Amino acid sequence: MRVVNHKDEILSRFARAYAKTEQSYDDACRDAITTPRDWPEGFGVTHRRNGSIVSGSHRDIVDLGELRDSQSYQRTDEYKTEYSWSAGHALYVHEGYTTKSGKQIPARRWTEVAAEESNLPQVFCDEFNQA
């Protein structure tokens, strides 16, 4: 009887699939930030710092690109990745806030949109099953 060990191949495929999934979520977050979509109601008219004027809830969440450009991710363990946004306003955009005048600005949770719109388990499986 011959025993065949495929452990190294499986671990290699797993690592490749994890890296692909990690990158796919990063791409999906950037897409969720830059693609206009229907966010919760309550924005009214916004005068952006880039000079554009946007009204209603169908919008992207890019003004000068600071939020999008501040996105990064880092693997903190063999199979654990942390995504972060260093732009000072990232938390306010993601969680919503109340202005000094009392106006409620709704949350735009692009991280949830990215997770919902990308089928990360399928990305992992497809990459793992590549010959």
Side-chain angles (χ1 to χ4, degrees), residues 90-98 104-109:
L91 179 64
Y92 299 113
V93 174
H94 195 267
E95 296 302 314
Y97 62 98
T98 303
Q104 296 283 335
I105 305 299
R108 284 149 293 166
R109 294 189 174 111

Side-chain angles (χ1 to χ4, degrees), residues 55-74:
S55 63
S57 64
H58 186 80
R59 56 178 64 208
D60 62 29
I61 49 178
V62 176
D63 184 342
L64 300 176
E66 294 168 345
L67 175 63
R68 179 197 59 227
D69 296 343
S70 77
Q71 180 175 316
S72 64
Y73 67 93
Q74 176 179 335

Side-chain angles (χ1 to χ4, degrees), residues 109-122:
R109 294 189 174 111
W110 69 87
T111 56
E112 293 174 8
V113 169
E116 290 170 9
E117 291 183 354
S118 58
N119 188 345
L120 297 176
Q122 190 63 52

